[in-house]
Amino acid sequence: ERIFSEVDIHRVAFGSSISEGIGASASWIVIGKDGSVFYRNIPQGLHDTLNARDMEETHAAPCEVSLGVSGSYFMRFLDGSVDYNLPKFAADVFEKLESQGLLIRNVSLHVDTVDCLMRFQ
């Protein structure tokens, strides 16, 4: 893709293929340092979130992103808000950490398993 040579890149995430077999295409998302976002075959929930934010006059740019298996994803925005669809065990841990007043900085999802790492403070 020309994006990788034309955009000053802040973050990149690669995911598993949305479909399998002939013609399957891997998913990916690129966040530019200017807040621009480019993607292909991302989970529908993340796609809907990005489209909804584009409709708003003022919206925070994304700053962290991760793609996982079975439509799982995590995205954090510069205003501290997050959008995610995590495997159940990870969502439970996420919500427990937040209920303890901790800030989730990032969730790194694995593209082949439900394993993940959470960075928080």
Side-chain angles (χ1 to χ4, degrees):
E1 291 289 325
R2 301 182 86 186
I3 292 166
F4 297 106
S5 62
E6 295 176 359
V7 174
D8 194 8
I9 296 173
H10 175 67
R11 292 281 186 270
V12 176
F14 295 96
S16 56
S17 297
I18 298 298
S19 59
E20 296 185 17
I22 298 173
S25 181
S27 59
W28 54 263
I29 186 166
V30 174
I31 300 173
K33 288 185 178 178
D34 64 357
S36 58
V37 180
F38 305 91
Y39 52 84
R40 177 171 293 153
N41 297 329
I42 60 174
Q44 189 62 48
L46 181 54
H47 183 268
D48 293 345
T49 295
L50 292 171
N51 281 342
R53 290 181 84 84
D54 284 345
M55 298 295 201
E56 298 173 12
E57 286 186 29
T58 59
H59 63 277
C63 57
E64 299 287 346
V65 65
S66 184
L67 301 173
V69 296
S70 303
S72 61
Y73 65 89
F74 173 83
M75 181 170 274
R76 187 168 63 86
F77 298 88
L78 287 174
D79 65 1
S81 64
V82 296
D83 184 50
Y84 60 88
N85 177 27
L86 299 173
K88 176 152 178 37
F89 82 92
D92 291 346
V93 170
F94 185 100
E95 291 165 9
K96 183 177 180 181
L97 292 170
E98 277 196 324
S99 73
Q100 295 173 354
L102 298 169
L103 173 65
I104 309 301
R105 305 293 295 165
N106 194 18
V107 178
S108 295
L109 297 161
H110 195 286
V111 298
D112 294 324
T113 70
V114 294
D115 295 331
C116 66
L117 297 171
M118 290 187 193
R119 185 168 47 101
F120 58 90
Q121 64 182 42

